Amino acid sequence: MTSPTAPSIPFPRSTTRLACRTNPHWFAPERTGSPSARQDIERAKRACSGCPIATDCLKWALTHADLTRIGVWAATTPRQRTQLRHRLENRLGPDWINAIARADERARQRDARPPQPAPAPQAHPMWAHPYQPWREPLTADRQQHNRELLKQALTQPTTPTPRPTRIRAEAY
């Protein structure tokens, strides 16, 4: 399977020291069958496990098959990357590279948006516009509003609360 390259998935960059740059011989062994090459591959995979750009590196390696035919990229061997490409094509279709690029773009846009503030709790209608005498004058509208609140409070039927009765213990 040959896959076209994806210019929308850039080569990953990092300002930190990465093992693939400090020990490149681990990531591209000359003889893959030798015991020392297998040790280098295992070292490379361990180094990738803590890498801050491993996810982006894997996306780039999967979408640039012609440039990653050999070596370890994001803790994967060439055979593993080929298997992953086949699985992605089966799951996302022949345009799987663009599907990944679109998902990355949506994630970038989502992360770029500022977080939405939590909605304010709904106030009781009686307290929707509290009167603050130290900040506002008492206007005619406010006086009318206060009268309506008083009428509403006085016209609501009230039920008297029963008083608790004392139970006296009778002496025997």
Side-chain angles (χ1 to χ4, degrees):
M1 172 175 105
T2 61
S3 65
T5 60
S8 57
I9 298 179
F11 186 78
R13 306 248 181 249
S14 177
T15 57
T16 60
R17 290 176 47 100
L18 303 174
C20 58
R21 304 228 172 93
T22 57
N23 298 304
H25 60 281
W26 293 352
F27 294 84
E30 291 180 18
R31 291 192 176 116
T32 56
S34 70
S36 65
R38 283 194 291 271
Q39 287 177 345
D40 285 346
I41 290 171
E42 288 306 313
R43 278 190 218 133
K45 286 183 173 186
R46 278 194 305 275
C48 288
S49 68
C51 181
I53 62 168
T55 302
D56 293 333
C57 183
L58 180 60
K59 289 177 194 173
W60 188 86
L62 289 173
T63 57
H64 295 83
D66 55 332
L67 300 174
T68 59
R69 288 189 182 123
I70 61 168
V72 175
W73 290 82
T76 61
T77 62
R79 178 179 290 151
Q80 291 169 328
R81 287 191 300 276
T82 301
Q83 291 171 349
L84 285 171
R85 285 185 199 103
H86 286 296
R87 288 171 56 192
L88 285 167
E89 186 173 2
N90 288 338
R91 188 170 137 217
L92 301 174
D95 194 28
W96 64 272
I97 293 175
N98 288 324
I100 290 174
R102 286 190 301 270
D104 280 354
E105 181 60 31
R106 283 191 302 270
R108 274 192 295 277
Q109 289 174 354
R110 182 186 63 240
D111 293 344
R113 280 189 232 136
Q116 296 296 322
Q122 291 293 328
H124 186 276
M126 183 172 162
W127 306 110
H129 304 288
Y131 172 60
Q132 299 174 342
W134 58 92
R135 293 193 181 165
E136 306 172 6
L138 186 58
T139 63
D141 289 340
R142 176 51 72 178
Q143 288 175 355
Q144 181 62 33
H145 177 73
N146 289 347
R147 282 189 203 103
E148 289 171 5
L149 287 177
L150 280 171
K151 283 180 189 175
Q152 183 181 8
L154 293 173
T155 57
Q156 288 180 351
T158 59
T159 56
T161 50
R163 294 183 181 226
T165 57
R166 288 189 181 178
I167 301 175
R168 294 184 185 172
E170 292 185 19
Y172 288 101

